[in-house]
């Protein structure tokens, strides 16, 4: 039953790609928040260091900067812990789903009834094109997530322009005229 194997492998591939895309987006979120915290910390330190504020000594400025660094450190560690938990849950869900698909595919492969085999082959033949499209979509989603991660992390030297797709305006439907004969009926 090669079609069953390819159908289940397509489903497993889609699950893997969406899991990777989700983890990539979580990583992009983590990198973006770390950049935000780092930028805020540097601006705060620069603001305090470059200004002569009345009633604020150098010791008070250093204490304020130290407190701000502690808060940023706490927020960054909570972010890492929480996003790590999210990734762990995503991996467990993907592993469970993949295991379920493999179990069902294994059980279907063991069925030796000619009637069941022909029904399964027919269902696979009908659904294989959809599975192939799903694989292509999942690959595009994963690639898009990787591009988002690169843009958010700020490690890309020259950001590639975002391709926008313009939606076509819906065609106006002509009103239907009713004839007098239709109205009478």
């Amino acid at each position: 039953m090669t079609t069953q194997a390819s159908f289940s492998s397509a489903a497993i591939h889609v699950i893997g790609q969406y899991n990777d895309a989700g983890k990539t987006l979580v990583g992009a979120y983590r990198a973006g928040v770390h950049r935000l915290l780092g930028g805020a910390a540097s601006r705060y330190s620069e603001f305090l260091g470059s200004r002569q504020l009345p009633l604020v000594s150098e010791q008070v400025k250093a204490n304020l900067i130290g407190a701000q660094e502690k808060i940023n450190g706490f927020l960054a560690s909570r972010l890492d812990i929480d996003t790590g938990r999210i990734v762990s849950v995503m991996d467990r869900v993907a592993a469970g789903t993949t295991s379920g698909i493999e179990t069902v595919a294994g059980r279907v492969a063991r069925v030796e009834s000619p009637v069941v085999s022909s029904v399964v082959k027919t269902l696979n033949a009908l659904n294989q094109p959809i599975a192939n499209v799903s694989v292509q979509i999942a690959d595009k989603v994963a690639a898009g997530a990787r591009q988002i991660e690169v843009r958010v992390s700020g490690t890309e030297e020259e950001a590639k322009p975002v391709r926008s797709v313009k939606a076509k305006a819906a065609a106006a439907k002509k009103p239907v005229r009713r004839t007098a004969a239709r109205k009478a009926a």
Side-chain angles (χ1 to χ4, degrees), residues 87-131:
V87 167
S88 175
V89 168
M90 291 170 67
D91 283 339
R92 282 194 304 247
V93 169
T97 306
T98 300
S99 174
I101 291 169
E102 290 171 343
T103 300
V104 169
R107 288 186 181 161
V108 168
R110 282 185 262 154
V111 173
E112 295 182 12
S113 169
V115 174
V116 173
S117 294
S118 70
V119 169
V120 169
K121 284 181 183 179
T122 303
L123 288 173
N124 280 334
L126 291 173
N127 290 313
Q128 193 61 45
I130 295 169

Side-chain angles (χ1 to χ4, degrees), residues 103-170:
T103 300
V104 169
R107 288 186 181 161
V108 168
R110 282 185 262 154
V111 173
E112 295 182 12
S113 169
V115 174
V116 173
S117 294
S118 70
V119 169
V120 169
K121 284 181 183 179
T122 303
L123 288 173
N124 280 334
L126 291 173
N127 290 313
Q128 193 61 45
I130 295 169
N132 292 339
V133 170
S134 295
V135 165
Q136 292 171 354
I137 290 170
D139 289 342
K140 296 267 187 195
V141 167
R146 285 189 290 277
Q147 288 178 343
I148 289 171
E149 182 182 40
V150 167
R151 283 179 160 259
V152 169
S153 67
T155 57
E156 187 179 30
E157 292 87 31
E158 187 176 310
K160 295 180 184 176
V162 177
R163 192 179 80 190
S164 62
V165 179
K166 293 182 181 178
K168 293 182 181 178

Side-chain angles (χ1 to χ4, degrees), residues 46-113:
E46 184 180 307
F47 172 79
L48 285 178
S50 66
R51 299 220 170 27
Q52 294 297 327
L53 301 172
L55 304 174
V56 179
S57 67
E58 292 301 317
Q59 180 61 36
V60 171
K61 286 181 183 180
N63 289 343
L64 288 172
I65 291 171
Q68 191 268 337
E69 288 173 355
K70 285 181 183 179
I71 291 171
N72 273 4
F74 170 75
L75 292 174
S77 68
R78 284 306 314 169
L79 174 73
D80 291 340
I81 290 168
D82 292 342
T83 54
R85 287 180 180 166
I86 290 170
V87 167
S88 175
V89 168
M90 291 170 67
D91 283 339
R92 282 194 304 247
V93 169
T97 306
T98 300
S99 174
I101 291 169
E102 290 171 343
T103 300
V104 169
R107 288 186 181 161
V108 168
R110 282 185 262 154
V111 173
E112 295 182 12
S113 169

